Amino acid sequence: MSWSETWKDILNGGPTRWKVDDVEAKKKALAHIVQNTPSESSTLRILCPLAGDDEFVHHAWSEGHDVTAIDLVPEALEAMRRNFGDSKEWTSSAKEDAGLIWKHNSGRATLYEGDMLLRRPELEQSFDVVYDKDSFGALTKDLRPTYCERLSEYAKYGATVYIEVKNKSSERDAGPPFHVEKSDLTERNSFGPYFQHISSLGEVYPLPKPGMSQTGHILRRVLMK
């Protein structure tokens, strides 16, 4: 089943799989981000890659932050736009070979409907924060180097990465979702060349499936020597 087919199944009432719609979990994630992001401004520019219809995007926007989400599946981003209210508050434009770009009339929400691995020069050195909702749970190892390279291009030096990953007690080599630990994040073929691991947050919220927990980590964009 493709990602688009999976999202259609979820949105049509099928199993929710990895989706977490608990707003309290999103509030907790934003609190971790604010606590770990030194900034002179109360408004953070937050990138949400592989966002799906994650409620975090709307929550961070409602708290006054500037949010940019990227996802390949139109149905997921359509569902996300509905979180913001009236569809007339959104306008879209097509960018050659880069998909649709949706902008909210508040000026603080942008949705890229396209491939996260595609280089987007207009986003370089733009973001104070990356909110990563378990990308490594979905991405196979061959895709992770390019994914992390894109994030390194888009994050400002000193930017915070808040990333959630799944820790599994069994079937650790099977996925998705894939089992991920700190060592997987800091490898040379993932975040290691661009980001420093700052802290492990432990379990950030419980999961309904036995033998699996959702854990969090804080990384920092640094200029490696």
Side-chain angles (χ1 to χ4, degrees):
M1 183 179 288
S2 69
W3 281 115
S4 181
E5 291 169 337
T6 299
W7 270 108
K8 287 178 182 178
D9 185 49
I10 292 172
L11 296 172
N12 288 330
T16 57
R17 299 166 173 88
W18 65 87
K19 264 175 60 63
V20 175
D21 294 321
D22 182 4
V23 176
E24 291 305 312
K26 311 307 176 182
K27 291 180 179 178
K28 187 176 179 180
L30 184 58
H32 281 303
I33 287 169
V34 171
Q35 180 181 352
N36 285 280
T37 307
S39 176
E40 296 179 357
S41 172
S42 59
T43 299
L44 298 173
R45 290 204 68 194
I46 304 176
L47 174 65
C48 306
L50 306 181
D53 67 344
D54 196 330
E55 173 61 27
F56 174 87
V57 179
H58 176 260
H59 172 64
W61 174 85
S62 69
E63 292 294 309
H65 299 291
D66 184 305
V67 293
T68 296
I70 304 176
D71 200 274
L72 188 62
V73 181
E75 293 82 3
L77 292 183
E78 181 182 3
M80 180 183 288
R81 292 194 298 277
R82 287 198 293 269
N83 292 337
F84 287 76
D86 193 341
S87 62
K88 295 179 181 179
E89 295 180 347
W90 291 93
T91 56
S92 66
S93 60
K95 188 173 182 181
E96 187 177 359
D97 300 325
L100 284 176
I101 302 174
W102 294 85
K103 291 186 178 291
H104 190 262
N105 64 11
S106 66
R108 291 189 294 103
T110 303
L111 311 181
Y112 282 80
E113 188 177 300
D115 188 352
M116 172 59 207
L117 302 185
L118 181 69
R119 180 174 277 111
R120 302 176 188 274
E122 73 274 18
L123 297 183
E124 290 179 2
Q125 287 283 300
S126 294
F127 297 98
D128 306 299
V129 174
V130 175
Y131 164 84
D132 185 323
K133 172 62 172 63
D134 201 11
S135 64
F136 275 28
L139 293 175
T140 52
K141 288 189 175 183
D142 61 306
L143 297 176
R144 294 176 186 178
T146 303
Y147 173 79
C148 292
E149 184 179 1
R150 291 291 86 78
L151 294 188
S152 74
E153 294 165 352
Y154 302 158
K156 298 175 182 178
Y157 289 113
T160 298
V161 175
Y162 168 90
I163 183 169
E164 294 180 7
V165 298
K166 285 183 172 57
N167 192 286
K168 299 162 66 175
S169 61
S170 62
E171 298 182 339
R172 291 189 165 190
D173 294 327
F178 296 104
H179 171 80
V180 179
E181 298 182 359
K182 172 186 172 181
S183 59
D184 298 300
L185 300 176
T186 57
E187 286 182 349
R188 293 294 301 174
N189 61 352
S190 58
F191 287 99
Y194 319 102
F195 297 88
Q196 179 182 5
H197 187 274
I198 301 299
S199 63
S200 298
L201 302 174
E203 185 179 65
V204 290
Y205 51 81
L207 295 174
K209 187 173 181 179
M212 187 180 298
S213 61
Q214 191 83 351
T215 62
H217 297 266
I218 299 292
L219 311 177
R220 183 87 67 228
R221 177 70 171 104
V222 292
L223 182 60
M224 294 295 193
K225 296 181 179 180

